[in-house]
Amino acid sequence: MLEKRDYYRLPWSMNDNPIAWLEVTDICNIHCEGCYRQYMTGHKSLEQLKEEVLFFMKWRNPDNFSIAGGEPLIYPQILDLVAFIAQQGVKPVILTNGVALTPEFLHELKKAGLAGFTMHVDSHQGRPEWKNKNEKEHNELRQQIADMVAAEGGLFLIFNSTVYPDTFHEIPEVVRWGQANIDKVQGLVFITYRTATTEDNIATDTNDQEVDLSKLSYTRESFHEHFVTGPEVHDIIQKNFPEYEASGYLGGSVRHDSYKWLIGAMVGSKKQMYGSVGKKTMEFAQIGHHLQKGRYMAYMTSGKIGQKVFWMSHWDKTIRQARKIRRMDVLRHPGRLFDGIYVQSIGIIQAPDILPDGRADMCDSCPDITIYEGKFVNSCRLDEYRLFGGFVSMLEKEKKETEPEP
Ligand code: SF4
């Protein structure tokens, strides 16, 4: 059972948040189950995107721009956009499925100023050559991409995957693969799948008019399985990798007991994992970054941190434990004294939950807020604005049907 007092509540807020979520297109070259976006308007103009960048710089204080979509690598002016963001003194990061990535394109992106990638790979994306392959088998694709990015050098790489009830048990396989590639992969993110169903839900718009829920890409006719939660993902990782411990969190916008974001960072070498950073180190990293750069931090540009990660042992009992295991490891294998020491983050995101009263429990201080018509909107629910003019309220069908007439 997780206790919030054991984790650092990330200090991010609406106007001081390290992440700016910039959507460049709603076109994609594959179709992932659980995708929040559908094709409606196509590519945005570069002028509009530059305006959105400046809007974020004015109102968000970001440390990085998550360039998302749709699929941003098929956006024709992606190099110009990356260069424009880099000119603002922040990190451009591309969130991609990697299908359109080639070594030559990678080189151009780096030259334009790209800082890194968040690479979405999982077994529910309908990739033609990877059909019927499980998560473990998808590690081969992750490896191909990780090798390509490492060969270019100077770019960080994070893999994210959506977690479905039928892939939950395979999370350790992905973590194990990540650990074996700790020199190439700076982080892993697991996002728990959520959907509303037309079988169980009725939705109304801000004028209390019923809307056609099936128009949203993130609804389906029925779903009778258990939604995986963030704490369950945390537990399965910790059960298989006792050295793993989260250090920071974001709670829910409605429920006091939700864990919407759980963030941890494991410490290890290519040969052994030693432990994790604790809440004090997470706090120190956030506050220190803000003091130094005036912004909070979401991504480290390099995972190779060296011995300095143990400097926090005096204040942080979790990292103290990691240092102890490291010392024992070096005593047993003196040749490992000079092995590189890396950190690798593990993020767990529990997507919005529909509550019985029709509200959605979102991520408190949502880091993935985007812009719609001059306003910040949670990117996971943007299509409700695009289709119905605002967030919809969901009610369980039975409740709505038995509500008394006013
Ligand atoms: S509320 Fe924000 S951070 Fe949470 S899933 Fe939605 S867009 Fe992502």
Side-chain angles (χ1 to χ4, degrees):
M1 173 92 169
L2 305 180
E3 290 285 349
K4 287 199 171 171
R5 72 169 93 76
D6 293 337
Y7 308 102
Y8 175 57
R9 198 287 188 186
L10 297 163
W12 307 347
S13 61
M14 169 86 85
N15 296 115
D16 198 356
N17 203 303
I19 301 175
W21 184 276
L22 183 72
E23 298 203 1
V24 298
T25 182
D26 60 7
I27 304 173
C28 193
N29 45 8
I30 55 174
H31 183 74
C32 306
E33 192 183 334
C35 180
Y36 293 127
R37 200 62 64 244
Q38 59 184 295
Y39 171 59
M40 285 168 65
T41 49
H43 300 321
K44 288 181 184 169
S45 71
L46 185 60
E47 285 62 42
Q48 180 184 349
L49 289 167
K50 284 182 176 177
E51 274 172 32
E52 291 189 5
V53 168
L54 298 176
F55 186 92
F56 274 124
M57 293 304 294
K58 180 172 163 63
W59 295 108
R60 189 73 166 165
N61 194 27
D63 189 55
N64 75 272
F65 274 75
S66 296
I67 306 171
E71 172 49 52
L73 291 184
I74 60 173
Y75 180 66
Q77 288 149 302
I78 189 71
L79 294 174
D80 296 326
L81 180 66
V82 166
F84 183 75
I85 292 170
Q87 278 160 21
Q88 312 306 313
V90 291
K91 304 176 192 118
V93 179
I94 291 183
L95 277 84
T96 172
N97 55 43
V99 170
L101 200 61
T102 61
E104 297 73 31
F105 194 8
L106 194 53
H107 185 65
E108 291 303 311
L109 287 163
K110 189 180 151 194
K111 257 183 23 197
L114 190 72
F117 291 101
T118 298
M119 196 67 65
H120 180 191
V121 175
D122 68 49
S123 56
H124 283 235
Q125 294 181 295
R127 293 174 188 259
E129 314 83 56
W130 297 87
K131 274 210 173 102
N132 303 322
K133 304 227 164 145
N134 61 23
E135 287 301 321
K136 188 176 178 190
E137 289 163 325
H138 275 73
N139 284 339
E140 193 185 324
L141 175 58
R142 293 183 180 99
Q143 191 69 55
Q144 287 171 12
I145 296 169
D147 290 344
M148 193 199 319
V149 176
E152 176 60 37
L155 293 162
F156 71 79
L157 179 60
I158 290 173
F159 279 92
N160 75 41
S161 54
T162 310
V163 176
Y164 301 86
D166 69 326
T167 59
F168 171 70
H169 67 285
E170 287 198 88
I171 289 173
E173 294 294 348
V174 180
V175 175
R176 197 164 292 118
W177 173 84
Q179 290 187 348
N181 286 277
I182 196 168
D183 55 333
K184 296 178 183 161
V185 176
Q186 283 71 53
L188 303 170
V189 180
F190 298 100
I191 303 162
T192 62
Y193 173 71
R194 289 290 181 277
T195 184
T197 64
T198 49
E199 182 184 77
D200 300 319
N201 301 110
I202 285 177
T204 53
D205 64 15
T206 45
N207 298 316
D208 208 25
Q209 297 301 307
E210 193 170 328
V211 298
D212 181 359
L213 200 50
S214 66
K215 283 187 173 170
L216 289 168
S217 60
Y218 42 90
T219 55
R220 48 195 276 179
E221 205 178 317
S222 61
F223 188 81
H224 299 294
E225 292 164 87
H226 162 74
F227 285 131
V228 176
T229 66
E232 285 169 347
V233 176
H234 179 277
D235 289 352
I236 196 174
I237 298 174
Q238 199 170 55
K239 209 166 127 205
N240 287 273
F241 307 93
E243 64 276 16
Y244 166 69
E245 181 63 77
S247 48
Y249 78 94
L250 288 177
S253 58
V254 181
R255 290 184 56 149
H256 63 276
D257 54 354
S258 317
Y259 289 91
K260 287 295 178 176
W261 278 49
L262 275 164
I263 299 193
M266 293 221 255
V267 179
S269 70
K270 279 218 38 124
K271 302 197 184 91
Q272 189 176 338
M273 298 308 288
Y274 298 125
S276 297
V277 307
K279 69 177 212 175
K280 289 282 179 200
T281 304
M282 180 61 84
E283 182 168 3
F284 184 81
Q286 290 294 328
I287 304 298
H289 197 273
H290 206 282
L291 279 171
Q292 207 190 342
K293 309 230 177 194
R295 312 186 284 263
Y296 292 117
M297 179 181 68
Y299 296 111
M300 287 176 61
T301 42
S302 162
K304 194 165 186 182
I305 195 162
Q307 305 283 346
K308 67 173 182 284
V309 70
F310 298 120
W311 292 350
M312 285 299 293
S313 297
H314 187 66
W315 298 277
D316 185 333
K317 63 177 180 347
T318 314
I319 198 76
R320 194 152 58 236
Q321 179 64 15
R323 186 183 62 178
K324 203 166 137 195
I325 294 173
R326 156 87 182 155
R327 282 180 174 166
M328 279 162 24
D329 185 40
V330 170
L331 279 176
R332 253 185 253 125
H333 311 278
R336 293 188 182 177
L337 180 62
F338 301 106
D339 284 355
I341 295 186
Y342 299 85
V343 286
Q344 186 178 65
S345 65
I346 295 196
I348 301 164
I349 301 174
Q350 181 176 315
D353 294 283
I354 312 289
L355 302 180
D357 65 3
R359 290 180 297 168
D361 189 28
M362 313 289 287
C363 308
D364 193 10
S365 306
C366 165
D368 295 343
I369 258 180
T370 193
I371 298 172
Y372 180 70
E373 296 188 343
K375 290 195 185 73
F376 283 148
V377 176
N378 310 68
S379 59
C380 64
R381 300 185 63 193
L382 174 65
D383 278 3
E384 292 169 45
Y385 270 80
R386 299 203 302 166
L387 284 163
F388 309 125
F391 286 156
V392 299
S393 300
M394 303 252 192
L395 277 188
E396 287 163 29
K397 250 184 187 164
E398 272 171 33
K399 269 198 185 151
K400 181 79 186 168
E401 277 156 10
T402 54
E403 251 180 23
E405 287 295 319

